[in-house]
Amino acid sequence: MYNPSSPHAEEFIDHAEVLATLEEAAAESGNRARVTAILEKAALCKGLTHREAAILMDCDDPDLEEKIYALASDIKRRFYGNRIVLFAPLYLSNYCINGCVYCPYHAKNRTIPRRKLSQEEIAEEVRALIRIGHKRLAVEAGEDPRHNPLEYILDSIKTIYSVREGGNGIRRVNVNIAATDVESYRKLKAAGIGTYILFQETYDRANYERLHPTGPKSNYAWHTEAMDRAQEGGCDDVGIGVLFGLSGYRYELVGLLMHAEHLEARFGVGPHTISVPRICPADDISTEDFPDALPDHIFRKLVAVLRVAVPYTGMIVSTRESARMREQLLHCGVSQISGGSRTSVGGYTTEERHNETAQFDVSDTRPLDDVVRWLLEQDHIPSFCTACYREGRTGDRFMSLCKSGKISLCCTPNALMTLKEYLMDYASPATRAEGERMIAASLGDIPEGRVRDVTVERLARIEAGERDFRF
């Protein structure tokens, strides 16, 4: 029944195929020759099948596990260099009619205050985010057709793009809202969104239906097929993910990769990003109620296996994770992180709202400037670049550049220029010193020629006060 090209969820996420994959992985993970052959294939940077990745995940040979980690780090460097893209979530509303048992926004929760930002309040939140240096946002909202209709989301995007603060503004809005229809995705694309993001939560259908007892989200097929409708509506950059801990991690790994294979087979391009959140405490939610919650060592390995399986795909980790865990994951293949985040409605401007309406507890509470300096000290380039969205390098156009290895000719210079902007406009003296050191060192990695000459020229112009080049 498994058919990656099928538009039907039960065929591209086929339960029988997942079980057969897990059975093969259990049988083959101790076969050193097979595991070695899979690693050799992964080193070619063409990706792995869900069956091959499952075998790596089950392998418990310490020597081979270290090779998985080393390969994950090497692959990340090959395609993304030492750049780490930074963003922040912006919660518009926590009104929701779904019954998701793992989310404090669920409809039956009477302890959490319900909030919805007006357009004026959204503008204030955006000003607060610009003032700390953000350029890229991920808009979040609960599913509620009365309080959060599509028109409200579209108006909010328009407001976000209109705000200027100190000559700066938000350059790209990614959107993480409920599954919708093709026409709505067309409207989101026309509004100028970057990536449409939707987490599957869990690919295990029986568990999905138990965890989503009420509301539109309870329809497994409608939710799982959302990325197909998004692609049909012109949203060619899509981001997938699961909430690890809701079901067995092996099942979720296979489901994620089958979904990626499906998008590649049907639309010619896989997901732009894969997010790896873990279940964590929140208002009326306890991780003790979820027996599949992941320990750190399994989570770290999972991220490494995903990186070697989908080498071209961006990988995102949020402030759900501690600074210590995020540092480890940066070396396993993560390429995007949030920083200075508030997971509450109105949380960037009102401390009371931040404490009352958070969707989940933030573990890494450091201000953005501390996160930027930490990345620099770890030899990463913090990047606020949005050039690919602004120049139309999305979907298969982005992936073709990435697969050719030429994307770094765009990404590294733009990362350095956006870092320079941040240093000039927002950084503390200590962060600026680290950033200038990084820029000087990184210029030497750009081959001599026009790209380096243009980069040096624009860095000088930014220092002189010019802003908002096409990055």
Side-chain angles (χ1 to χ4, degrees):
M1 185 177 179
Y2 174 56
N3 179 3
S5 298
S6 170
H8 303 296
E10 66 270 19
E11 294 183 5
F12 66 79
I13 307 293
D14 176 38
H15 180 65
E17 169 62 16
V18 176
L19 296 183
T21 296
L22 299 182
E23 183 178 352
E24 180 185 10
E28 289 293 306
S29 60
N31 183 337
R32 188 177 180 88
R34 179 79 187 277
V35 174
T36 299
I38 293 171
L39 288 172
E40 289 173 351
K41 177 184 175 182
L44 300 175
C45 295
K46 303 296 183 183
L48 298 176
T49 68
H50 60 272
R51 290 204 169 203
E52 291 166 335
I55 292 171
L56 292 188
M57 192 68 225
D58 262 15
C59 173
D60 59 4
D61 182 306
D63 176 53
L64 292 174
E65 283 188 321
E66 284 306 309
K67 290 183 179 180
I68 294 171
Y69 289 121
L71 183 56
S73 179
D74 179 61
I75 288 174
K76 190 268 173 183
R77 286 269 180 170
R78 281 195 236 176
F79 289 102
Y80 290 92
N82 59 339
R83 302 179 304 279
I84 300 295
V85 171
L86 286 159
F87 71 96
L90 175 59
Y91 283 74
L92 304 181
S93 170
N94 64 356
Y95 282 96
C96 192
I97 61 173
N98 288 312
C100 314
V101 303
Y102 51 85
C103 177
Y105 291 176
H106 65 85
K108 292 184 179 180
N109 187 354
R110 298 292 183 259
T111 67
I112 193 168
R114 298 293 172 172
R115 308 281 189 189
K116 173 186 174 180
L117 299 180
S118 67
Q119 295 305 312
E120 293 76 16
E121 289 171 324
I122 290 169
E124 284 304 308
E125 288 279 289
V126 172
R127 289 188 187 98
L129 284 159
I130 295 171
R131 282 196 292 268
I132 63 175
H134 276 296
K135 297 290 191 292
R136 179 193 301 233
L137 302 184
V139 163
E140 316 265 354
E143 183 169 13
D144 188 321
R146 183 166 69 92
H147 288 99
N148 314 327
L150 181 69
E151 291 71 22
Y152 170 67
I153 303 298
L154 296 173
D155 287 345
S156 301
I157 294 169
K158 185 176 180 180
T159 295
I160 293 166
Y161 280 136
S162 73
V163 174
R164 305 294 292 181
E165 180 75 10
N168 290 310
I170 298 302
R171 292 175 177 162
R172 191 53 49 194
V173 177
N174 298 332
V175 174
N176 184 355
I177 61 170
T180 186
D181 55 41
V182 173
E183 183 57 31
S184 295
Y185 288 120
R186 289 196 181 101
K187 291 178 180 179
L188 287 168
K189 181 66 174 180
I193 72 166
T195 302
Y196 173 68
I197 303 162
L198 185 68
F199 299 162
Q200 179 60 28
E201 316 299 5
T202 176
Y203 285 97
D204 183 332
R205 182 167 190 157
N207 212 24
Y208 181 98
E209 292 172 350
R210 180 183 67 81
L211 293 164
H212 304 89
T214 58
K217 196 170 176 177
S218 63
N219 186 330
Y220 177 87
W222 174 257
H223 189 82
T224 312
E225 294 162 8
M227 293 309 182
D228 292 55
R229 297 191 299 278
Q231 289 277 2
E232 290 164 13
C235 297
D236 55 358
D237 270 3
V238 296
I240 63 175
V242 296
L243 183 54
F244 285 102
L246 298 184
S247 297
Y249 66 89
R250 293 178 175 88
Y251 199 109
E252 305 293 29
L253 170 67
V254 175
L256 265 173
L257 294 176
M258 290 171 77
H259 203 167
E261 290 166 0
H262 161 70
L263 293 171
E264 186 80 46
R266 186 160 187 230
F267 300 102
V269 59
H272 186 71
T273 59
I274 291 178
S275 296
V276 288
R278 279 194 289 182
I279 189 74
C280 69
D283 184 67
D284 65 341
I285 307 299
S286 171
T287 54
E288 294 178 3
D289 297 329
F290 297 90
D292 288 313
L294 261 65
D296 288 352
H297 70 285
I298 294 294
F299 186 49
R300 177 171 170 258
K301 183 176 179 182
L302 187 73
V303 170
V305 170
L306 279 169
R307 170 48 66 214
V308 303
V310 283
Y312 316 119
T313 299
M315 291 185 65
I316 301 175
V317 65
S318 76
T319 51
R320 284 175 182 262
E321 298 299 331
S322 68
R324 179 187 61 81
M325 177 52 66
R326 298 211 311 167
E327 182 173 328
Q328 293 182 33
L329 297 180
L330 289 175
H331 298 288
C332 297
V334 163
S335 57
Q336 296 187 29
I337 64 172
S338 51
S341 301
R342 295 293 178 98
T343 63
S344 47
V345 181
Y348 293 105
T349 55
T350 309
E351 192 67 28
E352 179 184 0
R353 289 187 178 183
H354 169 58
N355 294 330
E356 287 181 345
T357 65
Q359 188 187 35
F360 58 85
D361 293 350
V362 170
S363 294
D364 188 347
T365 59
R366 293 173 296 176
L368 180 61
D369 191 72
D370 288 359
V371 173
V372 170
R373 186 167 63 255
W374 164 71
L375 288 172
L376 291 165
E377 290 169 351
Q378 297 293 318
D379 199 33
H380 298 291
I381 303 173
S383 175
F384 297 88
C385 179
T386 61
C388 285
Y389 295 122
R390 291 154 63 113
E391 297 296 334
R393 291 190 294 267
T394 59
D396 58 356
R397 293 172 295 285
F398 171 82
M399 284 298 176
S400 63
L401 270 175
C402 191
K403 292 177 181 180
S404 71
K406 296 178 181 179
I407 194 69
S408 63
L409 295 176
C410 302
C411 292
T412 299
N414 286 335
L416 294 177
M417 287 184 273
T418 60
L419 173 59
K420 182 71 171 182
E421 275 189 325
Y422 177 84
L423 299 177
M424 297 296 298
D425 294 345
Y426 308 105
S428 64
T431 301
R432 182 166 183 183
E434 282 294 325
E436 295 293 357
R437 175 193 61 78
M438 174 60 73
I439 290 171
S442 299
L443 280 173
D445 296 331
I446 301 175
E448 290 188 9
R450 182 176 178 277
V451 172
R452 188 197 286 187
D453 292 344
V454 169
T455 303
V456 171
E457 178 211 355
R458 288 189 175 178
L459 287 170
R461 290 166 65 186
I462 291 167
E463 181 138 16
E466 291 192 42
R467 295 293 182 274
D468 209 22
F469 293 105
R470 298 296 294 177
F471 44 65

